[in-house]
Amino acid sequence: MATPTKPSNVNGVDQPYYVPDQSKFPALASLGMGLMVFGLGSMLNDMKADVSSTVSSMMAVLGFAVLGTVLFNWFATQIRENHEGLPGPQLKRSYVLGMYWFIFSEVMFFAAFFGSLYYVRNFSVPWLAGEGDKGVSNMLWEGFQGSWPVISNPNPTLFTNPNESMAWRGFGEALHYLPLWNTILLLSSSVTVHIAHTALKSGNRKQLIGWLGATVLLGIVFLFLQVEEYAEAYSELGLTLNSGIYGSTFFLLTGFHGFHVTLGAFMLGVMWFRALRGHFKPEDHFGFEAASWYWHFVDVVWVGLFCFVYLL
Amino acid sequence: MLPSLSIKPTPAVHSGRLRTLAAGFALMFASPALLAEWGINMTEGVTALSAETFSLHMLIFWICVAIGVLVYGVLIYSMIAYRKSKGAVPATFNHNTTAEIIWTVIPFLILIGMAVPSTRVLTQIYDSSDSDLDIMVTGYQWRWQYRYLADDGAEVTFFSNLATPPEQYENYEGSLAAEKGENYLLEVDEPLVIPAGKKVRFLLTSADVIHSWWVPDFSVKKDAIPGFVNESWVRVEQPGLYRGQCTELCGRLHGFMPIVVEVKEQADFDAWYAERQAAAQRISDAATQTFTMEQLMAQGQTVYNTYCMACHQANGQGLPPAFPALTGSAIATGPAADHINIVLNGKQGTAMAAFGTQLSAVDIASVITFERNALGNSVGDMVQPVDIVQAQAQ
Amino acid sequence: MATGHAEHHHGPATGFTRWLYTTNHKDIGSMYLWFSFAMFLLGGVFALVIRAELFQPGLQFVDPNFFNQMTTMHGLVMVFGAVMPAFVGLANWMIPMMIGAPDMALPRMNNWSFWILPFAFTMLASTLFMEGGAPNFGWTFYAPLSTTYAPASVTFFIFAVHIMGASSIMGSINIIATIQNLRAPGMTYMKMPLFVWTWLITAYLLIAVMPVLAGVVTMMLFDIHFGTSFFSAAGGGDPVLFQHVFWFFGHPEVYIMILPAFGVVSEIIPTFSRKKLFGYDSMVYATSSIAFLSFIVWAHHMFTTGMPLAGELFFMYATMLIAVPTGVKVFNWITTMFRGSISFETPMLFAIAFVVLFTCGGFTGLMLAIAPADFQYHDTYFVVAHFHYVLVPGAVFSIMAAAYYWLPKWTGNMYDETLGKVHFWLSFVGINVLFFPQHFLGLSGMPRRIPDYALQFADFNMISSVGAFLFGFSQLLFMFIVLKTVMGGKKATAQVWEGAEGLEWTLPSPAPYHTFSTPPTVK
Ligand code: HEA
Ligand code: HEA
Ligand code: CUA
Ligand SMILES: [Cu+2]
């Protein structure tokens, strides 16, 4: 691929725009994406039909590999172009805007799940339990008590009851309450990443590397604890994806959050390597900033989760 | 009986096409009564609320027509008066605060004028309290079940199935297989029967997917949602037959689950109800009797055609892979116990429903016997109602 | 560092890779437009299957299950494949030219947004050939018909929606970044052409609701494959929850399909009236109000689900309110024509038809908003008539108007005006024969999504089907006209239309491959 160059002089006039040359990345990324989801879809359908086919999983893996490789090279190119000073300040503003709106779209994704949680807690579960405007529904589920968390499902043969929920267990248990630790971890990681940012802005690379590394570590510990929590849920509390609406909302909200933490930690990890390599300048470090915004976003979502999924 | 059909069937399929067409174009100018007769407008219906809904509909319609006349009038006037070809010279104005305020405020006021009666009617529709009779309506793929909730425990429950035979609607070979009847697709084997002049409350739910219960003449349309109960109600003064359809996409035969409601005078209703209770008794008594092969096969054929044919097809070949064939199927030709089990309990996660809660022991025994000895199968054994009762007891 | 590489004065690369690897907004715009036209034909063919089956009572050609697949695929392909990409294509072509930018803000991502679509739709269309058949639960895919009772292909449907959503989100991020960041000096927000404004607001809507759609299909995926119970009462969930989340996306979605159309019409009417757009400011505010209101009206699609009375009333009032800002727009267009100097070239004909027929569809929308009356209208052909009036002579006509309006700028050639007019009149007559009788069908009680119907509906169905074939085949003429214009024809001037205003008309026709590499200054 031809190295993108800056058409700094067109028709004899200087101009500030940078338009990249042709690129193979987008088409290949689409191919990877297409293969990946087609493979994943086939895998899920195979699983459901109780057959196994290597074609499906190979397709998914191949697609994932293509997509991953492309994205890696894409970002690498982006970074190289940046080193070469190709994007002007205007293009950098576009990146900033792009990141803002991307994060906003993620907020809306979580909003769908938070909204659903709100709905089931305030409408459908009470209705099924005989309260409110559609309380007659209870005639179909005699004996169903609608307290939140739902420990006893309307139909326990279809959706097995959990033994216990993840709700706050009182101050006596606080020390053993993993979500509380996770909150502390994530909140402090937001602080550390902020300190790293300040360090970067004042040109202190050592501190940057140290604090950023600490942030990534905190993220990893968070994930580790979450895995621990899930293991406990499955093996001891009997709380699974199949335990009715409480398990459904619990695992999807915390699961997608955990997935985003993974992404965020990965992004920060990449930034850490780039920091090691001396990529960032005090006045120009958009990659770092984007990752740290993302991290703050993930953190804010967690605070929401902690309140609405665990405490209230 | 006086069938009161607001939607008038045209006698032959396409006669009167011109007439309807003409009526169509006359919509803007015709009077409401005429509109209803030609089948191009909403029915006024037969209840107080359906009449109110109808006037609400006409009110909004005429308001829209009026606004339309105004808006289109100015548009057409401009198109004619300010043509360039006629040498029109463009004016230069592009702003007029007064005009803009006026055409923001006036529509707003008009909307308030619409909202007031709408709110009133809606509030009435939502008031289902103080009913005289409660009926549970349950949607199934693809039939309705009606259960009269009686205080004395002697409930009456039955299914209401499409009565139009497939010969009338399956025209795949190009020729009309059979002449379509007058109430083509809007007829059922057993209509819902309610007393005239009484407030009847419907409790709607579903056994599988979402259905929606609609009788235009009652202006009642309410979704039947699995796991939840919705309420609606009706008070019909005029005895007669009223027809409607399922209006929520519910799978393959969504277009084939009509609703027929028969409104009877209270005395007739009572007689009908007593007869229904007695019949229910007879059916449950029959569960202890023993039947001959002929009896079982004959009854089995009827049950099969009504309840199973939609999926497993008339010849038992099914529609694989969605609906398996019964001809030669391992279950239908294997041990009777498995066969009974799947029909009684269905199969979770598939379209095969649990018929144990829907059909009587006699019907289940007959249909199983039928499936084992017809449709190309010839196992030779018989399943009696007692077998079903025993299986259910376990 | 003034390394003025020669290849940068270049035009496009040649061959297929020009399109595959392009980063040029015009190329990407063209691909979007062609893709959308292909999808329009595909979705149209599905519609013709529907109309053929409904020509007469009785089941003539297809099994009811296949009919449901046709209805579903028709809706999905038209909405996500035809209308949305067409507007994105127009945005790609026109927004940079209208605001004086050299290209879109993030050109590589722009190409990614496009190339996802062929994969998504190939996957979706391939379900037609799968065991168990394509999705058959309607484009609104209500649970549990789309979960517990769905064919296996639903999994592919879900993933197709996921990646389409990714495409839309990237596309709209690009559009927002372009508009916020790449406007030429002097091009303040309140000087932007209305097409740019409406797209800016549409892009906000997209970013806000596509993730919600992704969320709801994800919940479906988990209900189907991982045993959760979001939409099952047996586990404490609710099928109606699905509808709330879906329509939270779905209602703004329908405005996503109409706001850019408003923009297009607001460009065309002033041009051919030779008069400035009346009430520019109020147009901007009206568009914003519509967008805002679109977030709080979603449950008007759910009046019959038995929501509590307070909910019904709230959603009824909020929905009715939308008539006010929409009315402002209609009045502004008409006042623009009032005392103008009007000529009737093809784009103008389509634009006027848009105003007339969209308003018609808006009126029926308002009728549907009246909850008690909606109990009678809901899920009948009255609704089908409503939304086709706003979508076909609404959105689709505006796209055609835009195509005629800007074709000379795109290709450098004038289209054949006589053929254009023929195409317009065939479409105009066809569409009304097709959809007007459906009002009567709905009012007299014909439910939607049925392959067969009672006899009293026979006449109007027959008329409607005739209209469908007339309208459908007229679109082949459109394809012919466009191809003919691309190949040659009378050369267009830069100005093209005497009354046109805006930066795009300062460029030569055809617009050079790279434009505004130096920003123009707007006074
Ligand atoms: C481009 C797409 C589009 C647009 C613009 C609209 C516009 C509107 N729609 Fe429509 N709608 C759809 C696409 C669209 N709709 C689709 C696809 C469905 C069906 C989905 C499905 O179920 O498959 C649907 C369904 C639908 C329903 C649900 C019906 C049902 O299922 O029972 C309702 C109910 O309120 C509704 C209302 C409205 C209203 C009030 C408007 C308003 O925005 C209209 C406003 C415009 C005007 C009113 C005209 C101009 C105004 C004036 C001239 C001013 C003066 C007027 C007055 C004061 C009356 N729509
Ligand atoms: C923008 C969206 C859009 C557009 C443009 C259309 C266009 C058309 N729609 Fe639309 N329709 C929807 C969106 C749209 N529709 C939606 C959302 C639904 C609801 C789905 C649901 O219920 O889930 C629906 C449902 C729907 C129904 C109801 C189905 C049912 O309830 O069962 C019907 C029935 O008449 C119908 C008809 C048509 C027709 C005849 C056209 C015509 O305008 C189409 C005209 C175009 C053509 C006919 C193409 C021309 C092609 C050729 C001539 C062949 C050439 C071939 C090659 C080159 C290979 N549509
Ligand atoms: Cu039942 Cu449609
Ligand atoms: Cu809507």
Side-chain angles (χ1 to χ4, degrees):
Chain A
M1 207 189 71
T3 325
T5 42
K6 184 178 179 183
S8 50
N9 185 290
V10 173
N11 305 332
V13 187
D14 273 334
Q15 59 95 33
Y17 291 133
Y18 164 66
V19 179
D21 240 345
Q22 286 214 322
S23 166
K24 290 189 176 134
F25 296 138
L28 284 174
S30 309
L31 175 72
M33 211 177 196
L35 281 177
M36 183 174 81
V37 292
F38 200 90
L40 272 178
S42 317
M43 274 169 70
L44 287 175
N45 278 353
D46 290 350
M47 256 164 55
K48 193 155 196 211
D50 260 335
V51 296
S52 69
S53 129
T54 40
V55 184
S56 314
S57 36
M58 291 212 352
M59 206 184 213
V61 170
L62 182 71
F64 188 75
V66 172
L67 184 61
T69 316
V70 172
L71 286 183
F72 182 83
N73 282 295
W74 193 332
F75 281 113
T77 309
Q78 202 88 19
I79 292 165
R80 197 181 60 235
E81 286 168 14
N82 198 32
H83 282 298
E84 290 167 13
L86 294 174
Q90 191 167 31
L91 182 56
K92 288 185 179 151
R93 257 192 330 269
S94 292
Y95 292 155
V96 171
L97 286 169
M99 193 64 198
Y100 279 167
W101 289 105
F102 171 63
I103 290 180
F104 177 69
S105 79
E106 294 273 40
V107 170
M108 292 308 292
F109 182 73
F110 278 99
F113 292 102
F114 276 110
S116 303
L117 178 66
Y118 176 83
Y119 179 86
V120 293
R121 287 184 63 162
N122 292 292
F123 297 103
S124 71
V125 169
W127 286 341
L128 290 169
E131 293 156 28
D133 284 299
K134 285 172 79 167
V136 265
S137 302
N138 188 243
M139 65 193 284
L140 302 171
W141 310 105
E142 263 163 47
F144 172 65
Q145 305 284 326
S147 57
W148 190 269
V150 179
I151 290 298
S152 167
N153 286 315
N155 180 345
T157 41
L158 273 182
F159 296 96
T160 41
N161 291 334
N163 311 324
E164 216 184 306
S165 79
M166 281 291 171
W168 176 245
R169 293 167 196 149
F171 284 99
E173 286 281 308
L175 283 182
H176 304 284
Y177 192 56
L178 289 183
L180 183 63
W181 287 107
N182 266 346
T183 309
I184 294 166
L185 283 173
L186 266 199
L187 284 180
S188 32
S189 76
S190 248
V191 177
T192 53
V193 82
H194 183 74
I195 301 177
H197 194 187
T198 328
L200 171 51
K201 277 196 279 198
S202 58
N204 189 338
R205 191 145 77 93
K206 245 210 189 103
Q207 270 196 14
L208 161 68
I209 293 171
W211 286 107
L212 185 54
T215 312
V216 177
L217 274 182
L218 287 170
I220 293 174
V221 176
F222 171 92
L223 286 172
F224 179 78
L225 287 189
Q226 192 163 11
V227 170
E228 191 88 321
E229 187 193 11
Y230 278 15
E232 184 194 320
Y234 263 79
S235 60
E236 280 159 44
L237 309 185
L239 178 64
T240 69
L241 277 170
N242 196 27
S243 18
I245 196 64
Y246 178 72
S248 306
T249 50
F250 171 77
F251 281 110
L252 256 73
L253 274 161
T254 56
F256 274 106
H257 175 263
F259 176 66
H260 283 77
V261 174
T262 314
L263 266 181
F266 180 76
M267 276 156 60
L268 288 177
V270 172
M271 296 309 146
W272 188 75
F273 275 108
R274 290 184 61 192
L276 274 189
R277 294 233 201 139
H279 271 189
F280 300 119
K281 301 192 198 94
E283 69 291 338
D284 183 15
H285 47 263
F286 171 68
F288 175 88
E289 275 185 319
S292 77
W293 292 334
Y294 197 76
W295 194 253
H296 289 308
F297 148 72
V298 166
D299 200 20
V300 171
V301 172
W302 176 263
V303 174
L305 277 181
F306 189 61
C307 295
F308 294 112
V309 175
Y310 291 99
L311 291 189
L312 294 177
Chain B
M1 185 182 324
L2 244 182
S4 133
L5 301 179
S6 70
I7 25 184
K8 290 231 165 37
T10 35
V13 177
H14 285 296
S15 77
R17 192 173 312 141
L18 263 181
R19 197 185 56 185
T20 345
L21 187 61
F25 288 115
L27 170 72
M28 290 282 186
F29 313 101
S31 76
L34 196 61
L35 298 185
E37 197 181 330
W38 295 119
I40 59 175
N41 198 5
M42 184 191 285
T43 169
E44 273 186 72
V46 292
T47 68
L49 284 181
S50 71
E52 293 235 29
T53 306
F54 175 78
S55 21
L56 204 52
H57 156 72
M58 288 318 286
L59 172 75
I60 314 158
F61 172 71
W62 287 118
I63 291 179
C64 287
V65 169
I67 300 176
V69 166
L70 212 81
V71 170
Y72 298 147
V74 180
L75 180 76
I76 291 170
Y77 173 77
S78 306
M79 281 167 64
I80 295 172
Y82 305 114
R83 268 173 298 162
K84 175 162 186 265
S85 56
K86 259 184 46 186
V89 180
T92 50
F93 67 89
N94 62 14
H95 189 74
N96 184 326
T97 312
T98 325
E100 292 180 58
I101 290 178
I102 290 179
W103 67 48
T104 309
V105 172
I106 292 188
F108 186 74
L109 296 178
I110 296 178
L111 292 177
I112 294 180
M114 294 178 183
V116 171
S118 311
T119 307
R120 189 174 44 78
V121 176
L122 189 64
T123 315
Q124 288 171 13
I125 293 179
Y126 257 69
D127 179 13
S128 60
S129 56
D130 298 326
S131 60
D132 303 310
L133 172 65
D134 289 356
I135 301 177
M136 186 98 190
V137 179
T138 310
Y140 283 81
Q141 279 180 323
W142 292 277
R143 58 181 58 83
W144 294 99
Q145 186 198 48
Y146 300 114
R147 187 151 70 92
Y148 292 71
L149 303 181
D151 301 330
D152 57 4
E155 288 182 353
V156 165
T157 307
F158 59 90
F159 278 97
S160 182
N161 297 283
L162 173 71
T164 307
E167 302 86 86
Q168 286 189 22
Y169 55 79
E170 294 195 341
N171 305 151
Y172 293 118
E173 263 61 60
S175 60
L176 296 188
E179 187 69 27
K180 294 182 183 1
E182 189 191 14
N183 293 313
Y184 178 68
L185 295 187
L186 294 179
E187 51 202 344
V188 297
D189 52 0
E190 291 199 61
L192 169 68
V193 179
I194 58 172
K198 290 282 157 61
K199 183 165 186 176
V200 180
R201 182 168 74 133
F202 301 115
L203 297 164
L204 296 121
T205 187
S206 163
D208 35 54
V209 301
I210 302 178
H211 303 266
S212 190
W213 198 86
W214 182 38
V215 176
D217 277 327
F218 301 167
S219 168
V220 165
K221 184 184 285 148
K222 225 1 137 10
D223 290 358
I225 296 163
F228 287 83
V229 177
N230 269 335
E231 295 176 62
S232 66
W233 65 275
V234 66
R235 188 197 299 275
V236 191
E237 304 296 343
Q238 181 66 38
L241 272 180
Y242 304 96
R243 295 170 200 276
Q245 272 172 282
C246 173
T247 47
E248 181 62 61
L249 178 60
C250 53
R252 185 167 171 268
L253 296 186
H254 158 61
F256 300 82
M257 56 183 288
I259 295 155
V260 180
V261 182
E262 189 176 355
V263 179
K264 286 186 197 269
E265 296 291 3
Q266 182 70 47
D268 298 340
F269 174 80
D270 291 340
W272 172 86
Y273 195 74
E275 162 52 28
R276 261 313 192 160
Q277 281 176 320
Q281 191 57 43
R282 281 198 301 278
I283 290 174
S284 65
D285 290 348
T288 56
Q289 291 168 7
T290 309
F291 293 88
T292 66
M293 189 69 160
E294 286 68 40
Q295 287 172 317
L296 289 174
M297 290 297 280
Q299 176 66 8
Q301 169 92 61
T302 322
V303 176
Y304 185 83
N305 287 356
T306 328
Y307 292 93
C308 323
M309 193 174 68
C311 297
H312 297 292
Q313 302 298 293
N315 53 9
Q317 295 300 324
L319 291 171
F323 310 122
L326 297 180
T327 311
S329 104
I331 293 180
T333 58
D338 295 345
H339 198 161
I340 295 175
N341 180 44
I342 192 165
V343 178
L344 278 182
N345 303 317
K347 177 113 186 242
Q348 259 304 319
T350 75
M352 181 63 200
F355 285 95
T357 53
Q358 304 184 32
L359 301 177
S360 70
V362 179
D363 284 349
I364 294 179
S366 332
V367 77
I368 291 176
T369 308
F370 173 79
E371 284 176 351
R372 300 174 75 77
N373 300 296
L375 309 171
N377 296 336
S378 49
V379 184
D381 57 357
M382 263 194 282
V383 174
Q384 293 290 348
V386 276
D387 303 331
I388 305 300
V389 176
Q390 274 168 11
Q392 264 169 333
Q394 283 161 15
Chain C
M1 212 188 56
T3 40
H5 278 249
E7 77 243 33
H8 272 287
H9 298 274
H10 62 183
T14 47
F16 185 60
T17 52
R18 161 179 176 185
W19 304 101
L20 202 55
Y21 301 153
T22 187
T23 46
N24 180 285
H25 72 104
K26 301 189 180 76
D27 283 353
I28 296 174
S30 303
M31 290 197 295
Y32 264 113
L33 289 170
W34 280 114
F35 175 80
S36 112
F37 192 66
M39 287 298 123
F40 178 64
L41 292 185
L42 182 67
V45 169
F46 296 154
L48 292 185
V49 174
I50 296 173
R51 287 308 334 162
E53 180 59 60
L54 293 176
F55 185 67
Q56 277 188 352
L59 297 170
Q60 262 70 236
F61 307 107
V62 298
D63 178 80
N65 192 42
F66 188 73
F67 182 91
N68 291 345
Q69 297 176 27
M70 286 292 104
T71 298
T72 308
M73 295 292 274
H74 164 68
L76 290 172
V77 166
M78 283 299 194
V79 168
F80 294 101
V83 173
M84 289 171 67
F87 282 128
V88 182
L90 292 175
N92 260 294
W93 254 104
M94 300 319 298
I95 288 177
M97 298 209 297
M98 286 178 147
I99 62 172
D103 205 300
M104 296 294 281
L106 305 160
R108 278 186 293 233
M109 191 169 86
N110 198 17
N111 197 30
W112 195 14
S113 315
F114 171 74
W115 276 105
I116 287 175
L117 291 181
F119 287 96
F121 280 89
T122 310
M123 184 155 95
L124 188 61
S126 73
T127 58
L128 277 166
F129 306 100
M130 287 179 188
E131 235 188 46
N136 56 4
F137 29 66
W139 86 284
T140 52
F141 51 103
Y142 283 6
L145 187 62
S146 63
T147 53
T148 320
Y149 296 83
S153 60
V154 65
T155 314
F156 296 102
F157 159 81
I158 289 173
F159 282 120
V161 169
H162 272 134
I163 63 177
M164 270 176 224
S167 154
S168 289
I169 290 171
M170 289 194 285
S172 30
I173 287 178
N174 222 329
I175 287 169
I176 296 182
T178 308
I179 297 175
Q180 288 193 336
N181 195 26
L182 262 58
R183 277 170 290 123
M187 175 69 78
T188 58
Y189 277 110
M190 289 316 265
K191 277 192 192 148
M192 294 194 313
L194 258 176
F195 179 70
V196 180
W197 253 116
T198 52
W199 241 119
L200 179 63
I201 293 170
T202 305
Y204 289 138
L205 286 184
L206 274 168
I207 291 197
V209 301
M210 288 314 278
V212 176
L213 176 67
V216 75
V217 294
T218 304
M219 290 186 237
M220 278 172 66
L221 188 76
F222 274 75
D223 268 14
I224 295 172
H225 290 288
F226 304 108
T228 54
S229 63
F230 287 103
F231 310 132
S232 167
D238 185 350
V240 176
L241 168 62
F242 171 89
Q243 298 182 27
H244 281 291
V245 188
F246 175 81
W247 286 115
F248 185 85
F249 147 80
H251 185 81
E253 166 69 17
V254 308
Y255 291 121
I256 286 166
M257 293 188 282
I258 207 66
L259 295 186
F262 290 167
V264 167
V265 170
S266 306
E267 300 297 328
I268 293 177
I269 288 187
T271 295
F272 296 98
S273 306
R274 291 163 186 78
K275 183 159 160 275
K276 264 202 156 37
L277 181 71
F278 185 86
Y280 174 96
D281 295 18
S282 60
M283 284 300 217
V284 173
Y285 301 135
T287 312
S288 318
S289 324
I290 295 174
F292 168 74
L293 287 172
S294 78
F295 286 110
I296 53 167
V297 301
W298 74 87
H300 64 216
H301 296 272
M302 302 164 53
F303 283 142
T304 63
T305 55
M307 268 184 297
L309 180 61
E312 301 261 327
L313 289 174
F314 171 80
F315 286 108
M316 172 169 86
Y317 301 148
T319 305
M320 293 168 73
L321 272 185
I322 296 189
V324 175
T326 318
V328 167
K329 306 204 70 124
V330 172
F331 301 139
N332 282 348
W333 289 322
I334 291 177
T335 315
T336 305
M337 290 170 65
F338 183 75
R339 298 190 45 205
S341 167
I342 307 173
S343 58
F344 299 93
E345 285 85 348
T346 311
M348 184 62 166
L349 289 177
F350 273 105
I352 295 175
F354 172 96
V355 175
V356 174
L357 299 179
F358 167 79
T359 305
C360 232
F363 286 149
T364 51
L366 189 76
M367 296 171 77
L368 291 168
I370 308 293
D374 183 64
F375 292 161
Q376 291 286 51
Y377 310 132
H378 177 68
D379 265 339
T380 68
Y381 263 79
F382 192 74
V383 178
V384 176
H386 155 65
F387 68 73
H388 281 96
Y389 262 84
V390 280
L391 280 169
V392 188
V396 173
F397 270 25
S398 84
I399 293 164
M400 287 172 176
Y404 283 110
Y405 185 56
W406 283 310
L407 253 184
K409 181 56 63 190
W410 298 338
T411 63
N413 305 320
M414 292 305 286
Y415 61 87
D416 185 326
E417 188 66 57
T418 320
L419 284 183
K421 291 210 164 93
V422 173
H423 171 229
F424 168 76
W425 284 109
L426 285 175
S427 300
F428 183 81
V429 172
I431 208 74
N432 286 297
V433 177
L434 164 54
F435 292 120
F436 206 74
Q438 295 188 356
H439 292 114
F440 305 145
L441 284 173
L443 290 176
S444 59
M446 177 166 162
R448 58 193 283 210
R449 296 166 167 169
I450 57 174
D452 193 5
Y453 46 81
L455 300 182
Q456 68 266 29
F457 306 125
D459 299 332
F460 286 129
N461 268 301
M462 191 172 262
I463 298 170
S464 175
S465 293
V466 170
F469 280 83
L470 176 62
F471 177 76
F473 282 95
S474 313
Q475 304 322 311
L476 295 179
L477 179 59
F478 178 58
M479 182 160 75
F480 173 76
I481 295 171
V482 173
L483 286 175
K484 186 162 169 260
T485 315
V486 173
M487 311 263 239
K490 203 173 109 229
K491 293 290 159 239
T493 60
Q495 176 65 25
V496 185
W497 312 111
E498 146 181 45
E501 274 181 41
L503 285 178
E504 78 262 39
W505 308 108
T506 63
L507 295 166
S509 301
Y513 197 56
H514 294 295
T515 40
F516 295 124
S517 34
T518 339
T521 310
V522 182
K523 338 125 249 145

